[in-house]
Amino acid sequence: MDTPSETRQATLDLPIEGMTCAACSARIEKTLNRLPGVSASVNLAAERARVAFDPVQVAPAKVLETIRKAGFSVPPQVLELVLTGMTCAACSARIERVLNRVPGVEAAVNLAAERAHVRFTPGLTTPEALIQAVKKAGFGASLVTGDSHAEEKARKAAAYKAEIRVFAISALLTLPLLAQMLVMFGGHGAHEELLPRWLQLALATPVQFWIGRRFYSGAWHSLRGGSGNMDVLVAMGTSMAYLYSLVVTLGGLEHQHVYFEASATVITLVLMGKLLEARAKARTQSAIEALIRLQPQTAWVEKDGGLTEVPVGILLPGDRFVVRAGDAVPVDGEIVEGNSSVNEAMLTGESMPVGKGPADKVFAATLNGQGLLRCQATGVGSATLLAGIIRMVGEAQGSKAPVQRLADKIAAVFVPVVGLVALLTFAGWWFFSGDFTTAMVNAVAVLVIACPCALGLATPTAIMVGTGRAAAYGILVKNAAALELAEKVQVLAVDKTGTLTEGRPVVADILPAQGVPAAELLRLAAGLEQGSGHPLALAILARAAADGLALPPLASLTTHPGKGLEGEVEGQSCFLGSPEFLGERGLAADPAALASLQSAGKTVVAVACGSRLLGLIAVADTLRDSSCRAIGRLRDRGIGVIMLTGDNPATARAIAAVAGISDFRAGILPGDKGLAVAELKASGRCVAMAGDGINDAPALAASDVGFAIGAGSDVAIEAADITLMKDDLNGVVDAIDLSRATLRKIRQNLFFAFIYNVLGIPLAALGMLNPVIAGAAMAMSSVSVVSNSLLLRRWKPGK
């Protein structure tokens, strides 16, 4: 039998961040074990701590605080939940509130995507607890897994078919009642009815309580949680019309009109609106659907002298696979043997095939041309570029744009305010007209015309279509906030190498000092550069290899970031770097030669050994053909362009002049690009940064909007808000254009949603709208918002 202390025992399995050695894990263990009732063990290799504790003596928050005080942290985890049961913006706002009340949780709910993006602190809560919190609020929730998309799609398809059947039954029951309403509109006597009242009651009752039970259920869950949603409005409005008609019918009050047609028709129209809305919302996710369909299911491997088709899921990094002519590449890999052209349009949006050969990278879902390729897998499953794109697009579509905050605030109080307006309408009409029936009809019209759905869908549907459209053209948006900010960009700071230029510099000139052979100058320069991965170093090494030079051994090397190198080569102390770097050591280059090379836009590297200058090497990096057009397009949009480069002013001026850039900052050290961006932001302007290298990451992070050119480093892409799959600055312009188009749609949607309610509710309160007309307007309001967002699918880049 368990002792009382054993029954109280609880366990936490926590990820730990910041450990570097065994001393760190021992320190955490020792600190935790000092707490009363705690037994902790820390695994350095797994970077996790398993903590058994007595919850009566120690709270989980105390365990986390102790770890933080020890100098380490428990990193937050992120998960996605698939949600069911939401009907309007009030529902999504309620789930968001419920989740955010859980300690250590930050949640954002997307009504259009029916997803919740949750960031939580392990130890304070669990995924299971979050799901239970949503269920307790009256909605459904499940974790997103690898198979979630297929399961969710199948579930939605089945639910849609079921909804069509329910709507068909509702329509059949309501149509005879509609005929009754037409008699009333036709100017016949107020009590001239086509159908006997007992038949009207028989037709309206199943519509009200069987087909309309979802509204009562949703209203109950919403009110129990202390808020209101669309279901409350529909349930209240239709119930008032139905119950009044029921009393009149059962009481035999022949002189009073009945409104069975109003209650049944409103429910049927709301169902129709939800069906149209679901169909339109499904189309907003067409981009991510298309990406998922691209994922190949099988791969070809060589086995027993022939090709065998195997499921792509069994491939591991390092496995060899074969891509036949015309086939899709199954996983990310590197070509081992073969030459071909590969169509990468599905990833980059670029329609021209790219030539590929040994050592070149290939990516899953891209289409091989006419050659046979033998490749080695480098990324499989969730580690492929395509999977990363799908993940990023999904996260962006599920994120919340700042512009949505106003709509969220209104949605939170919308239903109570509408309920109050309906009550005042009822009281006012009854008091001033003395007619209970008229007062009730107008109150019902107020309840059924009010629509929080349009407010909730205005922003997320446009974001979903916009980010999906961007992905189709190789523009990957990290989140909705980045898409919104891109519209406001006033200044674009651009890195020179790899952004404006090709990023593949080549040696253009070798100018040795008198008495120094050109080959010797190049050999020593390459000897120093063999320890560097800088683009200029790669150019010098490539030229030395092409000339067949044997590199001298490098005994030592010291790097001076942004300036140059010094090292020991063949017993001599040698220097390589900018002419200014060597000038600081008293080794000045010929000013005329320098000016000539720099004015041609070439980067000059000076080389010296001991106290003698050996000569100059000029490296040229060709300006991209597309850069001039991109700069012109930015200028046309009123966006200023500033070039940031570590080059000397003369070279920077020459490159800027060719590119059409009037403003530049030269001689900027790698670590100072972030400071340069911060200075630009200090003027109060919205500043974007476009770059591709590791040294661009601080500037990308410092900018309001960071654009990583697709050929760039992983660090740059991680720091950026928007990643461009193509090596083309025009992608920045396209992203800004798409941002402007998306924000234009959001503003149109919000205007419509606001103006619809601002005009519709007063008209209903003034008795100028029949409840059936009000219900039809409410049903179509959210459909029109989603349909307007879908117009973004017509957007194309380069316009």
Side-chain angles (χ1 to χ4, degrees):
M1 183 175 176
D2 290 338
T3 65
S5 61
E6 286 174 330
T7 57
R8 289 198 303 262
Q9 204 75 354
T11 304
L12 294 176
D13 187 19
L14 303 172
I16 304 292
E17 200 168 63
M19 293 191 295
T20 56
C21 63
C24 297
S25 57
R27 183 177 161 203
I28 296 171
E29 222 169 77
K30 185 178 178 182
T31 307
L32 287 173
N33 285 325
R34 285 188 192 138
L35 296 173
V38 170
S39 174
S41 62
V42 180
N43 187 320
L44 174 63
E47 295 185 318
R48 299 190 78 84
R50 188 170 180 80
V51 185
F53 67 102
D54 183 348
V56 174
Q57 298 184 62
V58 178
K62 180 65 176 175
V63 174
L64 299 180
E65 184 187 350
T66 302
I67 293 170
R68 277 195 294 273
K69 284 183 176 178
F72 304 92
S73 63
V74 176
Q77 307 289 297
V78 176
L79 58 80
E80 290 259 333
L81 295 176
V82 178
L83 303 173
T84 57
M86 293 192 296
T87 57
C88 67
C91 297
S92 58
R94 181 164 166 241
I95 294 174
E96 205 166 274
R97 284 198 304 273
V98 166
L99 289 172
N100 284 319
R101 283 189 199 129
V102 179
V105 170
E106 294 175 26
V109 176
N110 187 311
L111 173 64
E114 296 182 329
R115 295 280 181 105
H117 184 77
V118 186
R119 183 183 174 92
F120 70 98
T121 303
L124 295 183
T125 189
T126 63
E128 292 75 21
L130 295 171
I131 290 172
Q132 284 306 312
V134 175
K135 289 182 176 178
K136 193 175 178 182
F139 303 92
S142 60
L143 278 172
V144 173
T145 63
D147 298 324
S148 289
H149 187 84
E151 291 171 1
E152 187 181 0
K153 188 178 177 183
R155 176 184 61 79
K156 285 184 176 180
Y160 186 75
K161 288 179 180 177
E163 287 296 298
I164 288 178
R165 286 195 296 271
V166 171
F167 169 71
I169 295 169
S170 184
L172 286 172
L173 293 170
T174 304
L175 281 172
L177 295 171
L178 271 175
Q180 172 66 41
M181 186 182 70
L182 292 175
V183 169
M184 180 182 71
F185 284 161
H188 296 274
H191 305 298
E192 187 176 334
E193 298 173 356
L194 289 179
L195 302 175
R197 290 188 173 180
W198 66 264
L199 182 55
Q200 292 183 48
L201 174 63
L203 291 170
T205 300
V207 174
Q208 186 70 38
F209 296 109
W210 174 54
I211 291 165
R213 71 184 184 279
R214 69 191 65 200
F215 301 116
Y216 290 104
S217 174
W220 164 249
H221 287 304
S222 180
L223 293 172
R224 192 180 64 176
S227 64
N229 63 1
M230 185 201 76
D231 294 329
V232 173
L233 299 178
V234 174
M236 284 176 60
T238 57
S239 294
M240 283 175 65
Y242 176 86
L243 292 175
Y244 171 80
S245 303
L246 179 66
V247 169
V248 168
T249 301
L250 296 181
L253 307 175
E254 296 297 330
H255 61 286
Q256 297 288 347
H257 188 69
V258 292
Y259 293 93
F260 289 120
E261 79 284 347
S263 63
T265 304
V266 165
I267 287 174
T268 303
L269 286 172
V270 171
L271 288 181
M272 182 186 73
K274 286 295 175 186
L275 280 173
L276 293 173
E277 179 188 316
R279 187 173 178 181
K281 277 162 62 178
R283 291 172 64 196
T284 65
Q285 295 182 315
S286 59
I288 206 165
E289 296 268 1
L291 288 170
I292 290 169
R293 284 196 299 271
L294 287 174
Q295 293 178 305
Q297 301 302 310
T298 60
W300 292 94
V301 297
E302 288 183 314
K303 191 175 182 181
D304 301 328
L307 290 179
T308 303
E309 192 173 20
V310 298
V312 74
I314 72 168
L315 287 181
L316 298 172
D319 287 353
R320 297 287 183 97
F321 61 91
V322 174
V323 186
R324 304 178 306 175
D327 279 1
V329 178
V331 295
D332 289 2
E334 188 174 291
I335 298 173
V336 177
E337 182 184 333
N339 291 277
S340 186
S341 59
V342 177
N343 187 340
E344 298 181 343
M346 58 289 299
L347 301 183
T348 66
E350 178 58 63
S351 58
M352 289 296 293
V354 181
K356 300 281 185 178
D360 285 339
K361 296 181 185 296
V362 290
F363 302 103
T366 55
L367 198 61
N368 186 25
Q370 298 304 309
L372 180 76
L373 299 175
R374 287 182 171 83
C375 308
Q376 183 171 330
T378 56
V380 301
S382 62
T384 65
L385 178 63
L386 177 64
I389 291 172
I390 292 170
R391 195 160 48 246
M392 185 180 282
V393 172
E395 288 172 2
Q397 291 187 339
S399 62
K400 186 171 286 190
V403 73
Q404 195 174 339
R405 288 174 190 153
L406 177 61
D408 286 347
K409 287 178 182 177
I410 292 172
V413 297
F414 186 86
V415 173
V417 169
V418 170
L420 180 62
V421 172
L423 182 62
L424 292 173
T425 300
F426 177 77
W429 276 95
W430 196 9
F431 179 79
F432 288 107
S433 71
D435 187 343
F436 176 86
T437 304
T438 302
M440 181 204 68
V441 168
N442 292 336
V444 169
V446 169
L447 290 170
V448 298
I449 198 170
C451 186
C453 303
L455 282 172
L457 293 168
T459 300
T461 52
I463 292 292
M464 289 171 73
V465 179
T467 52
R469 199 64 185 153
Y473 287 99
I475 302 168
L476 304 183
V477 182
K478 187 173 284 186
N479 52 51
L483 190 65
E484 181 177 336
L485 266 176
E487 180 215 29
K488 300 178 174 69
V489 170
Q490 296 168 291
V491 177
L492 177 68
V494 293
D495 174 50
K496 188 202 77 172
T497 304
T499 304
L500 286 172
T501 64
E502 294 285 355
R504 293 188 291 272
V506 294
V507 173
D509 303 279
I510 300 174
L511 302 178
Q514 190 172 2
V516 178
E520 180 64 9
L521 171 61
L522 183 60
R523 187 181 75 89
L524 289 171
L528 277 170
E529 295 282 32
Q530 63 187 309
S532 171
H534 193 280
L536 298 182
L538 299 178
I540 291 171
L541 288 166
R543 177 62 180 269
D547 290 357
L549 300 178
L551 303 188
L554 183 62
S556 65
L557 182 70
T558 302
T559 302
H560 299 271
K563 295 182 177 181
L565 309 166
E566 63 175 292
E568 187 179 331
V569 179
E570 296 179 338
Q572 300 181 84
S573 182
C574 297
F575 303 90
L576 178 148
S578 67
E580 293 78 15
F581 174 62
L582 269 69
E584 293 171 3
R585 286 156 177 74
L587 301 167
D590 177 14
L594 268 179
S596 174
L597 294 170
Q598 290 173 347
S599 63
K602 297 171 184 176
T603 302
V604 181
V605 175
V607 185
C609 278
S611 59
R612 184 186 181 195
L613 182 71
L614 299 181
L616 305 174
I617 298 175
V619 178
D621 191 4
T622 310
L623 196 71
R624 293 186 193 277
D625 294 336
S626 58
S627 293
C628 294
R629 178 171 175 265
I631 300 301
R633 290 177 67 200
L634 287 164
R635 199 164 44 237
D636 291 344
R637 285 154 180 77
I639 298 170
V641 182
I642 297 175
M643 184 179 77
L644 305 181
T645 178
D647 270 333
N648 62 82
T651 301
R653 187 175 293 107
I655 292 288
V658 176
I661 299 172
S662 58
D663 196 359
F664 62 88
R665 305 283 189 276
I668 295 181
L669 298 177
D672 294 339
K673 286 184 180 178
L675 294 175
V677 169
E679 286 175 11
L680 292 171
K681 286 174 64 178
S683 65
R685 294 178 293 178
C686 182
V687 178
M689 170 72 191
D692 73 320
I694 291 174
N695 61 7
D696 295 324
L700 290 168
S703 64
D704 293 303
V705 185
F707 293 91
I709 302 296
S713 68
D714 291 341
V715 178
I717 291 170
E718 183 63 30
D721 300 297
I722 298 175
T723 299
L724 309 175
M725 299 301 293
K726 287 190 287 187
D727 301 334
D728 188 343
L729 196 60
N730 279 289
V732 173
V733 195
D734 293 336
I736 292 171
D737 284 351
L738 179 60
S739 170
R740 291 179 175 182
T742 303
L743 267 293
R744 196 157 49 242
K745 284 296 172 200
I746 288 173
R747 292 189 187 101
Q748 290 169 5
N749 288 346
L750 287 173
F751 174 79
F752 175 80
F754 282 123
I755 205 70
Y756 163 81
N757 284 293
V758 166
L759 293 178
I761 293 173
L763 287 174
L766 291 170
M768 300 173 72
L769 288 177
N770 177 277
V772 173
I773 303 301
M778 188 267 274
M780 296 309 297
S781 62
S782 55
V783 177
S784 60
V785 163
V786 180
S787 300
N788 188 46
S789 293
L790 286 171
L791 293 176
L792 267 176
R793 295 171 72 185
R794 298 177 180 178
W795 179 87
K796 290 184 179 179
K799 299 295 182 185

